[in-house]
Amino acid sequence: MADTGGAGNGASGSDTAAGASSEAMRSFVIHRCRLAVESADGGGVDPAAGGGQEMGDTREASVVVRDGVIERVVLLPDERFDPQSAIPGADVIDATNKLLLPGFFNQHTHSSEMWSRGLIKPAPLELWLCSLIDDSPVHPDAIYDSALLCAAETLLSGGTSIMDHCSMILDMPDQTIDACVRAHRDIGIRAFIAPLMGDLDIMDCMPQEPLRDPVSTPPATPYRCTPDPERRRLFAAALERAAAAHHKPHEGVSIVAGPTGIQLCSDEFFLECKRISEKFGLPRHIHLLETAAQKQLAWDKYGCSAGTHLRAHP
């Protein structure tokens, strides 16, 4: 809830319950907040309700939340509305001079990178990732702590949902996912947890030739990489177990099939993630392309763009 003037601290508000915590299931009334109200045609504040007609105008309103769900919005002034009796016994939050906004969605983050913040000098992404691997958490407790901090920062920034593309500890994938899930549950944020997985080595994502226009100039030598079938089996099995144990969207936690991207995944691994996604109804999340080197890698690897290849193999 953003402060639009006046003194005092306001409580955070959202158009949806955050996670499945007991706080999210509370009943309360947010009274006298500022709220943007669209007219029936979507053109700003409804002039029939006595407001202005410009986009960005707001109205004073009260929002009644019962069991974590918005029950009604009352535009003020309304002599018939009594916030104290709207839900008998429920808290009434004085939101005078506060702007009520929908909860924001942190649509992509890597909580495990909290440990590396400010430690790695700027470098091309592929080289930066090598340093990141050296500084990545090596124990599930560190995964838990970093996920907890990442979720807390999201909440304090007005976010109520997070997509956590969380790095895996290679020899402890189940413990890594469990720790990440536990952290997001403990703090009460709605979490989409995408274990960051791939079956290729980090060196396979490095440019094998100087950068060029890959569309018009073919590689001097064919692209080669060696997928690791044991790593593919290990990660796929961990994703399947995580989906069975933790994928509970109605409770605020969704497991997501999250292959790293074309630079660190074979087609076989993509197909395995697709199979598990369809089996459990999981969303999917991926880095498509982030650098010119990855664009060149896609053309060298597939003979076409990454998007064209993935669309041809849905």
Side-chain angles (χ1 to χ4, degrees):
M1 190 179 295
D3 198 334
T4 60
N9 294 323
S12 293
S14 165
D15 67 341
T16 182
S21 67
S22 58
E23 284 295 301
M25 295 299 106
R26 287 177 51 209
S27 296
F28 53 92
V29 178
I30 303 173
H31 187 47
R32 299 190 65 186
C33 65
R34 302 301 301 183
L35 189 67
V37 183
E38 288 190 351
S39 61
D41 62 2
V45 175
D46 188 352
Q53 298 186 47
E54 298 297 323
M55 292 297 291
D57 285 353
T58 62
R59 283 286 305 276
E60 190 173 65
S62 289
V63 179
V64 180
V65 179
R66 187 186 299 273
D67 297 328
V69 177
I70 292 178
E71 182 176 84
R72 59 184 168 132
V73 175
V74 180
L75 297 180
L76 301 177
D78 186 335
E79 296 179 357
R80 297 166 298 175
F81 179 70
D82 176 11
Q84 300 294 337
S85 61
I87 302 179
D91 291 338
V92 176
I93 301 169
D94 181 5
T96 303
N97 293 324
K98 305 294 181 182
L99 179 63
L100 184 64
L101 299 171
F104 299 134
F105 195 141
N106 184 346
Q107 293 186 334
H108 181 81
T109 190
H110 302 283
S111 65
S112 51
E113 293 180 11
M114 299 293 286
W115 294 102
S116 304
R117 182 179 289 176
L119 296 179
I120 304 174
K121 294 181 178 180
L125 178 63
E126 288 74 19
L127 299 178
W128 186 87
L129 289 173
C130 292
S131 297
L132 178 67
I133 291 173
D134 291 338
D135 290 321
S136 293
V138 295
H139 193 279
D141 286 349
I143 292 289
Y144 175 87
D145 291 342
S146 57
L148 201 69
L149 180 56
C150 186
E153 284 194 342
T154 299
L155 286 171
L156 291 171
S157 301
T160 56
S161 300
I162 190 169
M163 171 68 79
D164 190 353
H165 214 177
C166 181
S167 299
M168 294 291 96
I169 301 174
L170 184 58
D171 57 348
M172 292 189 286
D174 294 276
Q175 297 93 322
T176 303
I177 298 170
D178 291 348
C180 190
V181 169
R182 183 161 48 89
H184 291 301
R185 281 191 181 278
D186 285 351
I187 208 164
I189 197 169
R190 176 174 284 109
F192 295 80
I193 298 171
L196 190 64
M197 299 177 169
D199 62 344
L200 298 177
D201 187 83
I202 185 64
M203 296 307 296
D204 290 320
C205 80
M206 299 295 172
Q208 300 184 359
E209 297 181 2
L211 290 182
R212 63 183 195 283
D213 178 5
V215 180
S216 60
T217 307
T221 57
Y223 172 83
R224 291 186 177 87
C225 65
T226 306
D228 185 338
E230 180 58 24
R231 182 184 297 185
R232 180 165 64 242
R233 184 201 63 77
L234 176 75
F235 278 155
L239 178 61
E240 198 151 2
R241 288 191 294 269
H246 300 303
H247 185 58
K248 300 175 182 178
H250 61 287
E251 295 182 8
V253 173
S254 297
I255 299 299
V256 178
T260 304
I262 63 101
Q263 72 277 19
L264 287 172
C265 297
S266 67
D267 283 350
E268 291 81 6
F269 189 76
F270 282 133
L271 290 172
E272 188 66 2
C273 288
K274 177 187 176 185
R275 179 189 68 79
I276 297 170
S277 168
E278 292 176 344
K279 177 179 178 180
F280 291 95
L282 308 182
R284 305 174 198 175
H285 191 69
I286 186 176
H287 299 96
L288 184 56
L289 293 175
E290 298 178 280
T291 66
Q294 290 180 12
K295 174 184 176 181
Q296 177 170 305
L297 179 68
W299 277 88
D300 292 355
K301 191 174 180 180
Y302 306 127
C304 61
S305 70
T308 297
H309 179 76
L310 293 176
R311 281 193 297 270
H313 302 80

